């Protein structure tokens, strides 16, 4: 059933692309895909090299109190446009993204530092709305915002009005139009005792382990694509943006044995699974029919030619656990508000043809899910 | 000698300006002056309010291991243009600024998180130069870069060539022309035992305490003004950008009793002294003739109408200590490479006319140094 020639060509393509970096940074280098990983390993790791950074995780494990890692430390900058989108905004996102990077390491988020880079001209009500959103999200995630910084940068003269075909009646995110803010959040979390020895890591996983996810994929990127108003759809997709610690704490309290977790944000589920498979030097196969997805996300991806497996999520966690523990973990996840659509979507396998991630399709074939070079290009472009 | 009517009008001006914020954020809100402080207290503190944030310090004191503050946590975004300037660059600055915020709280900088927001089109050699600079500065400051993030944002179409009168022969910072990068660094430091009980704070200071600084003021902002190439000067000013922990550790090892420290960055010495005086509910008087300053900085400030007391520094620390300890601290500071031009520049006094900071001028008069509303406006504009 498998198309071997296609696999071979993709494999050799993947290999031939481990060449040198481009001479200038393009948007692809911020996509979460292979170009970004190469930038990280060939520039950042090269210069900043140390054992903690080399682990290539979204959070650094620190030894503060104990001689074993006990705290996690993470940073992320948020540059999303538009800054307001259905039921969420850049403020909520900037807290969720950072507390989730801590939570997936099994760490209870404690402290957040926030830095604002505001483009001059932002209205005070917009800034205040973002701050209220940050405050609410921080409260619901149980973290304290303890320090911050504010810079204001010059306005760029070319700010364009959005295309006329925007359906203003569909969304109420008009506030924020033409306004720009970059928010960087940095978080410190304390690793829960259950996840401390060993710490959650791709190194813990074995062939036969099950792969779980806590719900529908692609909602966040779907919401952003629609909120940009470049396409004339009547669909409404809400971002899944949510702090995940509550769900993870529930699993910890129930003494669920988890081997590793990761949040499939930029680059989506396929990219995250590739990172896990590469770190573990194993393979992962997932079943197309088991992957939870909203009809509206499936719809806009079909039309625009995006693959939802590569679309960003902001309230999802991929969990890997021993096969004998997976069903119990699934049951507990399904009872949590953020896990209603949880599913076991695949398992850990041996690498095949040197490639890490394989999709068992609806029609019974198997195709590799390569890491993208950069951004997805919609078919309509 | 003092001009009382002027003082009164300045005081009433200062009071009348505690009005509501503007409806839109302007560059002034990022200047380090009164507008920024109002934004922080009226928006950020209002929404994020908690006892740690309310201390209004550049670093948050955390209780991690002990029930007394033992760690410091700080964040800063760096948006300087040009990104390369004589003997320094945005990379070095992004490490110095953050490790100095830790050092002035008496904390040994340990871990740094770095987030890059790169404008597409940046050349790889520029990025690599910045990374090498970050790595070197981190090494010299004894900190480890343990985690990071990378985003790439779209290029703005209006990027203008710089004015033709730039003297290219004066500086070799041509690399970086038209390139933009925003770097956010977040740091964790461990408070040295000598500075733990009580922690360094404006609350420790008393009337009669002495004010010290470790050298010339205004060098960083002077270097940036010249590097922008908007003025046709032949002068060459180096930024003072340097990690201060070494100097502070030397003072700690010598058991110097320090009451508080702060780095006079954005807004300069005058703004920092105002912050200290306000936090202590006391006054500070400084002597114009005692303030160390390079001739070239004095020169360009005189011509452009900037007040060097409000110009940013990136390798300076203001230290407040008991009068009986000040001379010994000064002697030790002068022996350190970063303290050769150290001086005792003033002392803590009672507030006068409700105003915190007073300058005893060369000609023997005394004038208040108010906090600026926003940026300094050069006379020539």
């Amino acid at each position: 059933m498998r198309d071997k020639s296609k696999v071979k060509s993709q494999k050799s393509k993947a290999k031939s692309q481990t060449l040198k970096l481009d001479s200038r940074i393009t948007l692809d280098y911020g996509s979460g895909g292979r170009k970004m990983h190469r930038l990280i390993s060939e520039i950042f790791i090269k210069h900043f090299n140390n054992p903690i950074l080399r682990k290539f995780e979204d959070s650094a494990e620190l030894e503060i109190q104990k001689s074993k890692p006990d705290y996690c430390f993470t940073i992320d900058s948020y540059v999303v446009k538009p800054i307001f989108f259905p039921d969420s905004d850049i403020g909520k996102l900037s807290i969720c993204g950072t507390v989730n990077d801590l939570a997936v390491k099994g760490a209870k988020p404690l402290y957040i530092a926030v830095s604002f880079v505001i483009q001059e001209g932002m209205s005070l009500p917009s800034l205040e709305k973002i701050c209220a959103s940050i405050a609410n999200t921080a409260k619901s995630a149980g973290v304290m915002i303890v320090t911050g910084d504010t810079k204001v940068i010059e306005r760029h003269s070319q700010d364009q009005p959005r295309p006329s075909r925007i359906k203003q009646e569909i969304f109420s995110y008009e506030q924020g139009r033409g306004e720009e803010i970059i928010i960087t959040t940095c978080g410190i979390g304390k690793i829960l005792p259950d996840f401390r020895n060993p710490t959650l890591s791709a190194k813990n996983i074995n062939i036969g382990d099950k792969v779980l996810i806590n719900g529908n994929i692609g909602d966040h990127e779907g919401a952003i694509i629609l909120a940009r108003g470049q396409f004339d759809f009547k669909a409404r997709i809400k971002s899944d943006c949510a702090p995940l610690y509550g769900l993870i704490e529930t699993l910890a309290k129930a003494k669920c044995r988890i081997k590793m977790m990761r949040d499939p944000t930029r680059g989506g589920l396929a990219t995250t699974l590739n990172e896990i498979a590469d770190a573990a030097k194993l393979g992962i196969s997932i079943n197309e029919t088991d992957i939870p997805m909203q009809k509206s996300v499936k719809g806009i991806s079909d039309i625009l030619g995006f693959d939802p497996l590569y679309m960003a999520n902001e309230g999802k966690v991929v969990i890997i656990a021993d096969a004998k523990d997976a069903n119990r973990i699934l049951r507990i996840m399904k009872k949590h508000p953020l896990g209603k659509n949880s599913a076991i979507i695949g398992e850990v396998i041996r690498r095949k043809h040197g490639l890490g991630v394989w999709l068992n399709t609806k029609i019974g074939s198997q195709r590799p899910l390569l890491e993208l070079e950069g951004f997805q290009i919609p078919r309509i472009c």
Side-chain angles (χ1 to χ4, degrees), chain A:
Chain A
M1 299 286 277
R2 206 159 3 95
D3 179 348
K4 281 200 179 168
S5 66
K6 199 179 162 196
V7 169
K8 258 195 180 165
S9 86
Q10 278 175 304
K11 186 181 156 190
S12 71
K13 195 178 157 201
K15 282 212 170 161
S16 71
Q17 283 168 348
T18 30
L19 296 173
K20 63 194 254 286
L21 293 164
D22 302 313
S23 64
R24 289 194 176 267
I25 304 298
T26 62
L27 290 176
D28 280 337
Y29 285 87
S31 68
R34 275 165 52 85
K35 285 202 173 180
M36 195 176 91
H37 291 150
R38 284 158 62 198
L39 183 68
I40 293 171
S41 55
E42 290 168 44
I43 303 288
F44 300 145
I45 302 275
K46 174 180 146 191
H47 286 283
F48 311 151
N49 199 4
N50 64 61
I52 301 177
L53 191 66
R54 257 199 317 272
K55 286 186 183 167
F56 240 122
E57 303 267 6
D58 287 333
S59 280
E61 290 169 353
L62 306 181
E63 291 165 12
I64 292 212
Q65 226 166 333
K66 318 258 179 185
S67 59
K68 293 260 176 187
D70 52 355
Y71 283 83
C72 273
F73 184 39
T74 189
I75 193 166
D76 263 304
S77 289
Y78 300 86
V79 297
V80 66
K81 286 185 205 172
I83 57 176
F84 297 105
F85 38 93
D87 293 303
S88 193
D89 59 56
I90 191 171
K92 182 177 181 184
L93 185 65
S94 73
I95 299 300
C96 291
T98 290
V99 298
N100 289 349
D101 277 345
L102 298 172
V104 299
K105 295 290 291 176
K108 178 177 167 56
L110 298 175
Y111 302 112
I112 295 277
V114 183
S115 185
F116 298 99
V117 177
I118 306 167
Q119 197 186 80
E120 59 172 337
M122 166 163 274
S123 76
L124 208 62
S126 289
L127 181 61
E128 187 143 23
K129 191 175 167 185
I130 289 167
C131 289
S133 175
I134 287 176
N136 288 336
T137 314
K139 199 177 166 193
S140 76
V143 287
M144 229 198 273
I145 292 160
V146 291
T147 189
D149 182 42
T150 315
K151 295 290 185 320
V152 182
I153 55 171
E154 285 174 13
R155 193 168 177 79
H156 307 293
S157 54
Q158 97 299 7
D159 288 319
Q160 291 155 359
R162 296 185 311 165
S164 59
R165 57 192 166 130
I166 299 160
K167 296 285 159 189
Q168 300 206 1
E169 71 275 20
I170 303 181
F171 303 123
S172 57
Y173 59 89
E174 275 309 292
Q175 194 179 17
R177 182 172 173 172
E179 296 180 330
E180 282 187 31
I181 187 169
I182 295 171
I183 303 179
T184 304
T185 47
C186 191
I188 298 179
K190 186 170 189 177
I191 305 174
L192 296 174
D194 293 323
F195 298 135
R196 198 172 288 157
N197 196 9
T199 55
L200 298 170
S201 158
K203 283 180 190 147
N204 305 333
I205 74 177
N206 296 309
I207 292 166
D209 287 348
K210 295 291 180 188
V211 180
L212 298 95
I213 192 163
N214 65 318
N216 301 332
I217 63 163
D219 291 3
H220 177 70
E221 193 157 333
I224 297 295
I225 290 169
L226 288 189
R228 283 192 183 140
Q230 294 166 314
F231 306 111
D232 200 5
F233 292 123
K234 297 248 177 199
R236 181 182 170 89
I237 301 173
K238 284 187 193 179
S239 166
D240 60 343
C241 185
L244 289 164
Y245 179 71
L247 170 65
I248 289 164
E249 191 188 35
T250 303
L251 296 173
K253 282 186 177 164
K255 300 286 170 200
C256 290
R257 281 178 299 189
I258 290 169
K259 295 191 165 188
M260 80 157 297
M261 297 186 272
R262 195 166 279 190
D263 50 337
T265 54
R266 245 187 314 181
L269 179 63
T271 302
T272 293
L273 294 178
N274 266 289
E275 288 169 359
I276 297 172
D278 289 351
K281 298 186 175 71
L282 287 168
I284 291 172
S285 79
I286 55 170
N287 308 313
E288 193 170 11
T289 49
D290 294 336
I291 299 165
M293 200 187 313
Q294 278 198 72
K295 272 190 186 164
S296 51
V297 171
K298 178 88 179 62
I300 68 152
S301 335
D302 280 351
I303 294 167
L304 299 178
F306 285 116
D307 186 341
L309 291 166
Y310 292 91
M311 281 167 66
N313 312 279
E314 288 292 347
K316 291 298 168 298
V317 54
V318 171
I319 295 177
I320 301 189
D322 196 289
K324 68 177 187 300
D325 301 319
N327 283 320
R328 180 166 171 260
I329 294 173
L330 181 66
R331 277 198 306 277
I332 297 168
M333 286 168 79
K334 278 177 170 281
K335 282 183 200 154
H336 193 276
L338 292 179
K340 284 177 192 164
N341 293 324
S342 296
I344 296 173
I345 58 170
E347 64 180 1
V348 179
I349 57 171
R350 252 180 244 289
R351 286 179 92 83
K352 290 184 183 183
H353 312 285
L355 298 174
V357 185
W358 294 83
L359 180 74
N360 301 314
T361 66
K362 271 180 202 165
I363 54 164
S365 70
Q366 197 178 45
R367 69 173 175 93
L369 291 176
L370 297 178
E371 227 184 328
L372 295 183
E373 276 292 291
F375 280 105
Q376 288 197 78
I377 309 296
R379 263 202 310 269
I380 59 160
C381 292

